[in-house]
Amino acid sequence: MWIVSRDEAKCEGCGECVEACPAGILVLEAGRVRVTDETACLGCETCVTVCPTGAITIQEV
Ligand code: SF4
Ligand code: SF4
């Protein structure tokens, strides 16, 4: 499975990752991204690619 980490200090709440995630597990909450169901992450790295501030990293465990 994958661990999805986001750096809240870097997240600008643009929503790009929320729109792009094919698994639909990212949401915006109070202007910051949150992962709703990490176990459903596909490991596609789309969120990592689209994030303009480098706020998201994923790691396989
Ligand atoms: S790696 Fe892919 S499936 Fe996982 S949170 Fe990012 S965009 Fe969604
Ligand atoms: S793409 Fe990056 S800056 Fe935009 S909401 Fe997602 S984590 Fe935050």
Side-chain angles (χ1 to χ4, degrees):
M1 74 174 267
W2 298 83
I3 300 290
V4 184
S5 305
R6 75 273 190 275
D7 184 338
E8 286 202 4
K10 287 185 179 175
C11 177
E12 296 177 341
C14 68
E16 292 286 335
C17 59
V18 175
E19 293 293 322
C21 176
I25 58 172
L26 303 177
V27 294
L28 280 182
E29 203 171 77
R32 296 290 181 269
V33 73
R34 185 170 73 82
V35 185
T36 58
D37 182 6
E38 207 163 49
T39 62
C41 175
L42 305 169
C44 66
E45 296 195 0
T46 302
C47 53
V48 178
T49 303
V50 300
C51 178
T53 64
I56 304 184
T57 52
I58 66 169
Q59 182 188 3
E60 191 169 18
V61 291

